[in-house]
């Protein structure tokens, strides 16, 4: 069974920074697109940023200019650098990866990591 392991969440003051990371474990052939999503209390889960294996990125308008997504293909790891954090960024952040295995291509989700930004 393929699993995604996240780390880097925590509590910070407004204007601070955090760096999230996500890496897979288990048996698989390759990882294609990867991304970060978040869900705030009482709200629907939303896309934050995505990145293809070739490095093409896409960001939600609310985080453009503040967040940066990157990946290390040799380590199959994706990162999310979050700067100038605002209280509205408070949410559970989830890693997502499109993974090719012996059963085909499927999306996998991480456990989620809490990010809390105080005013």
């Amino acid at each position: 069974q393929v699993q995604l392991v996240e780390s880097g969440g925590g509590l910070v003051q407004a204007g601070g920074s955090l760096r999230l990371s996500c890496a897979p474990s288990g048996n698989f052939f390759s990882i294609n697109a990867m991304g970060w999503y978040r869900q705030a209390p009482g709200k629907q889960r939303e896309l934050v940023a995505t990145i293809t294996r070739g490095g093409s990125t896409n960001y939600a308008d609310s985080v453009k200019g503040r967040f940066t997504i990157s990946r290390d293909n040799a380590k199959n790891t994706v990162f999310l650098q979050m700067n100038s954090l605002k209280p509205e960024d408070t949410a559970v952040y989830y890693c997502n990866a499109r993974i090719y295995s012996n059963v085909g291509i499927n999306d996998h989700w991480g456990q989620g990591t809490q990010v809390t930004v105080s005013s």
Side-chain angles (χ1 to χ4, degrees):
Q1 177 65 39
V2 178
Q3 296 182 346
L4 298 176
V5 181
E6 301 179 4
S7 63
L11 173 64
V12 298
Q13 293 184 323
S17 299
L18 285 173
R19 183 176 176 84
L20 308 182
S21 64
C22 173
S25 64
N27 297 321
F28 58 91
F29 298 147
S30 64
I31 298 178
N32 298 312
M34 305 184 79
W36 291 94
Y37 296 73
R38 67 186 182 187
Q39 187 166 22
K43 294 186 177 181
Q44 186 172 263
R45 185 176 298 187
E46 65 177 355
L47 183 149
V48 177
T50 60
I51 184 168
T52 68
R53 187 171 184 84
S56 297
T57 59
N58 182 52
Y59 296 92
D61 289 341
S62 60
V63 306
K64 287 181 179 178
R66 299 188 298 119
F67 291 9
T68 302
I69 188 171
S70 62
R71 64 188 291 170
D72 183 339
N73 289 336
K75 298 181 179 180
N76 293 311
T77 302
V78 63
F79 306 93
L80 185 67
Q81 179 66 46
M82 303 184 292
N83 298 326
S84 302
L85 283 163
K86 305 174 181 179
E88 65 191 71
D89 295 317
T90 295
V92 177
Y93 284 70
Y94 297 91
C95 175
N96 175 268
R98 186 159 294 172
I99 301 176
Y100 177 46
S101 70
N102 62 340
V103 297
I105 301 175
N106 294 283
D107 284 347
H108 293 261
W109 292 92
Q111 62 189 4
T113 184
Q114 178 70 48
V115 172
T116 302
V117 185
S118 62
S119 61

